[in-house]
Amino acid sequence: MSGRRRAVIECFEEIPCNPCEAACPFGAIRIGECITSLPQLDAEKCTGCGRCIAACPGLAIFVVDPEYGASEASVDFPYEYVPLPAEGSIVAAVDRFGKEVCKGRILAVRKLPSYQGTTVVSMAVPTQYADTVRSMKRLGRKELES
Ligand code: SF4
Ligand code: SF4
């Protein structure tokens, strides 16, 4: 993945669901009249604001910046576990199936009233994992020391 910060929608089930469409203030997500249609992202309209992340009940929306740093991407993802990670902490970055792929550094942890209980976590990972990493797991002390 290359380019600028934008949403990545990984919604593959044709279920009756559309809050992502209403959550985007820029009209970048379209489902249309058939509520079981899969959401389509207009990447040109997407600003990467992240408002759609917590709106998705399926936890299927991420915001990825493949050029966050010289050798790092950032991945913003929904997180519904406690305790929450601390900003600056090192965690295990995991793929869509929960398998650890690398370490991640927590950039921000956002809990807003409009998120209705879902926290949005922003994490930096090596650039090559921008398309792979989608969440995190906490590391134990031994893993942190290794
Ligand atoms: S990141 Fe912001 S602009 Fe992009 S689709 Fe989500 S709500 Fe819309
Ligand atoms: S809100 Fe999430 S689960 Fe529902 S249609 Fe949008 S992306 Fe898919």
Side-chain angles (χ1 to χ4, degrees):
M1 184 176 189
S2 62
R4 62 178 178 79
R5 175 181 170 84
R6 65 175 174 82
V8 174
I9 303 177
E10 299 184 344
C11 176
F12 308 118
E13 300 280 342
E14 294 181 350
I15 55 173
C17 184
N18 66 355
C20 53
E21 184 175 40
C24 179
F26 303 101
I29 301 178
R30 177 165 169 74
I31 289 180
E33 287 186 12
C34 179
I35 196 172
T36 57
S37 297
L38 294 178
Q40 303 296 319
L41 177 75
D42 183 337
E44 294 301 314
K45 290 183 180 173
C46 177
T47 66
C49 72
R51 289 190 209 179
C52 52
I53 298 174
C56 171
L59 309 181
I61 305 182
F62 311 86
V63 169
V64 177
D65 183 351
E67 298 176 3
Y68 172 76
S71 58
E72 284 184 324
S74 67
V75 181
D76 294 12
F77 55 90
Y79 194 72
E80 296 188 331
Y81 300 99
V82 287
L84 293 170
E87 291 183 5
S89 63
I90 302 299
V91 299
V94 304
D95 66 13
R96 297 162 183 83
F97 309 102
K99 183 182 172 200
E100 182 177 343
V101 292
C102 61
K103 286 183 179 170
R105 177 168 47 86
I106 300 301
L107 300 171
V109 178
R110 299 186 188 89
K111 271 180 87 72
L112 301 179
S114 61
Y115 288 178
Q116 298 182 341
T118 298
T119 301
V120 175
V121 174
S122 181
M123 178 170 64
V125 295
T127 304
Q128 66 265 37
Y129 298 119
D131 286 338
T132 309
V133 165
R134 290 296 177 262
S135 192
M136 57 149 279
K137 282 199 292 202
R138 301 170 73 82
L139 288 169
R141 186 186 298 172
K142 275 188 182 173
E143 294 161 302
L144 281 169
E145 290 169 353
S146 67

